[in-house]
Amino acid sequence: MKGGERLRRAVGAATVVTALAVARPAAAAADPFATWLGLPAWIWMLANLVLFFGVLGYYLGPPIARFLDRRGQRITAELEEARERRAEAAALQATLGEKLARLEEQVREILARGESEGQREHGALLAQAERERDRLLAQVRGEIDHRLTQARQELKRHTAALAAGLAREQLERELGPEERERIFRRNLSRLEQREPS
């Protein structure tokens, strides 16, 4: 059964229950000791209230429970994905840190070897080692910048997709079909106006 049909039935049942609750004469409702069909008025009011909430729970409870369950599963999946991405970023950071440490160790070895070869070649080897260090550090920095840019872009895309999904869900909950159609047509006309003729 579709949600709209269930809602219509729930509203109909609530209307019947409410009609039964207010069908009592006004004089009997004013009297706390009045009876109807041999039972005190407060028992009828309590029965109507219980029946009203029972009908609402029967027709509206399962769709709400399914919605909350799906939403909880989606949030759990998104949290798990975020944890995995954070773990990947931490692993990438550790890998790049190890590479940088190895490169710095290599630079130190080059410098030590240059000093051990003698004073005559010391200046040339030192300059070469510094150039190599600068090149390697520039390469590592370039790789780090590239990876960070990729990670930021991927995070932006994921965040944008999540935000768009949440916004779409909120719009679908808050806007009716006519309002969505009106907004769609307005945005379409704006896009048509921006196109070059």
Side-chain angles (χ1 to χ4, degrees):
M1 185 184 306
K2 293 184 178 177
E5 182 64 26
R6 289 181 76 120
L7 183 60
R8 282 195 292 279
R9 286 190 181 185
V11 169
T15 304
V16 170
V17 170
T18 305
L20 289 175
V22 297
R24 302 251 317 126
D31 183 9
F33 300 107
T35 61
W36 189 50
L37 298 177
L39 293 174
W42 68 270
I43 290 178
W44 287 106
M45 286 190 242
L46 180 63
N48 282 334
L49 183 64
V50 169
L51 182 62
F52 175 74
F53 284 119
V55 167
L56 282 180
Y58 178 77
Y59 286 107
L60 297 180
I64 291 172
R66 282 194 304 273
F67 169 76
L68 292 176
D69 186 45
R70 284 194 305 265
R71 183 73 179 136
Q73 290 173 357
R74 192 173 331 147
I75 289 172
T76 302
E78 288 170 359
L79 286 175
E80 184 60 32
E81 185 178 348
R83 282 191 203 100
E84 290 174 3
R85 290 180 185 278
R86 188 179 304 151
E88 289 174 4
L92 177 63
Q93 183 179 8
T95 302
L96 293 176
E98 291 173 4
K99 284 184 178 180
L100 186 60
R102 283 197 302 268
L103 290 173
E104 289 176 353
E105 181 62 31
Q106 289 175 359
V107 168
R108 282 193 293 273
E109 289 174 4
I110 291 171
L111 290 174
R113 193 171 48 240
E115 289 177 357
S116 68
E117 288 181 355
Q119 289 297 327
R120 189 173 56 86
E121 298 180 7
H122 176 69
L125 290 175
L126 185 59
Q128 180 184 355
E130 288 177 354
R131 283 193 303 273
E132 182 70 13
R133 181 190 66 191
D134 292 342
R135 184 188 67 78
L136 291 174
L137 288 176
Q139 181 182 353
V140 168
R141 287 189 183 111
E143 184 177 347
I144 289 172
D145 290 342
H146 179 68
R147 295 277 180 102
L148 286 175
T149 302
Q150 285 180 336
R152 284 190 186 112
Q153 289 174 350
E154 187 175 343
L155 186 59
K156 284 179 184 177
R157 283 194 299 271
H158 182 68
T159 303
L162 284 177
L166 291 174
R168 183 174 52 248
E169 287 177 12
Q170 186 173 2
L171 284 174
E172 288 175 356
R173 282 195 309 266
E174 294 178 359
L175 297 179
E178 298 84 12
E179 293 170 324
R180 286 196 297 264
E181 180 68 21
R182 181 174 49 78
I183 290 171
F184 173 75
R185 291 193 182 284
R186 185 176 60 208
N187 288 334
L188 183 62
S189 68
R190 285 181 183 168
L191 286 174
E192 289 173 350
Q193 291 173 359
R194 288 182 184 173
E195 290 181 358
S197 57

